[in-house]
Amino acid sequence: NVLLLTIDTWRADALGVGSGKVATPNLDRLAALGTRYDFAHADAVVTLPSHASILTGLHPFGHGIRENAGFRLAEGTPTLAALLRGAGMATGAFIGAFALDSRFGLNAGFDVYDERYGQSKANAGFMVPERRADAVVGAALRWIAAQDRPWFAWVHVYDPHAPYRPPAPFNTEYATRPYYGEVAYTDSVLGPLFDAARD
């Protein structure tokens, strides 16, 4: 089984490991069990081109996606999901925000592309239709539990992206630092996902 977890706008200094600014026990546990890189670069600083690079292994000039809108992954571009599905794995993607909507082509190779993030009346700034991490992870866990063969699950959570509105109790625990509240909340819902992948 393969689990790919991507988290929008999670800064390197917002991990419990090494910073102590915010509690992230689930990611800290993952870091302790695996390899943690202290120095890394993304191919792009925006969601869609960065994820296109992750899923294709190509730089933006290779896959052609330069921004979060106005671009689509060309049909037939090899993706990790298509490779793994071709090898007999079940493939499912669970998306947290419109920036990775299937209309942009990243659904290529996925049996399931769950993008039920609803609608938003927001039309300015960083506000895009999104759903909370617990809903994304819940959908992924239900799909994983139903699989009877090896699986590849891509789970994308949009928290902690602006605007910062952590749910209780993180909204009060991090009242003066709502970004960290979003980080702590997101980490809190990842434990069952890591358990499912390990099991």
Side-chain angles (χ1 to χ4, degrees):
N1 299 324
V2 177
L3 171 64
L4 170 63
L5 171 65
T6 60
I7 308 172
D8 256 71
T9 66
W10 194 310
R11 299 190 322 250
D13 70 333
L15 279 172
V17 174
S19 83
K21 296 177 184 176
V22 60
T24 57
N26 290 303
L27 282 172
D28 293 354
R29 178 174 53 127
L30 184 64
L33 294 172
T35 301
R36 179 174 162 254
Y37 295 90
D38 292 329
F39 186 77
H41 291 276
D43 276 334
V45 296
V46 289
T47 301
L48 181 59
S50 189
H51 283 82
S53 291
I54 292 168
L55 292 173
T56 66
L58 301 170
H59 297 291
F61 63 81
H63 57 63
I65 297 178
R66 313 278 186 180
E67 298 282 342
N68 274 345
F71 294 90
R72 179 176 170 78
L73 188 66
E75 234 176 278
T77 303
T79 65
L80 179 58
L83 267 165
L84 295 177
R85 183 168 69 179
M89 296 180 84
T91 57
F94 305 88
I95 306 303
F98 176 77
L100 299 175
D101 192 90
S102 59
R103 72 185 68 192
F104 304 124
L106 296 188
N107 61 330
F110 285 103
D111 300 320
V112 171
Y113 200 83
D114 183 328
E115 55 189 347
R116 292 173 286 185
Y117 36 74
Q119 301 299 314
S120 172
K121 294 183 173 45
N123 59 4
F126 292 111
M127 304 215 23
V128 299
E130 63 177 284
R131 64 178 163 170
R132 283 266 181 217
D134 60 341
V136 177
V137 169
L141 287 172
R142 287 187 294 276
W143 181 83
I144 288 169
Q147 300 314 303
D148 59 0
R149 60 188 167 124
W151 49 260
F152 166 52
W154 169 30
V155 179
H156 165 259
V157 291
Y158 201 65
D159 318 75
H161 197 287
Y164 308 127
R165 297 177 302 228
F170 307 98
N171 59 340
T172 54
E173 187 177 344
Y174 295 93
T176 61
R177 308 288 298 269
Y179 171 78
Y180 289 138
E182 290 272 5
V183 165
Y185 156 71
T186 302
D187 181 83
S188 75
V189 302
L190 295 178
L193 182 63
F194 295 157
D195 291 341
R198 187 183 63 239
D199 294 344

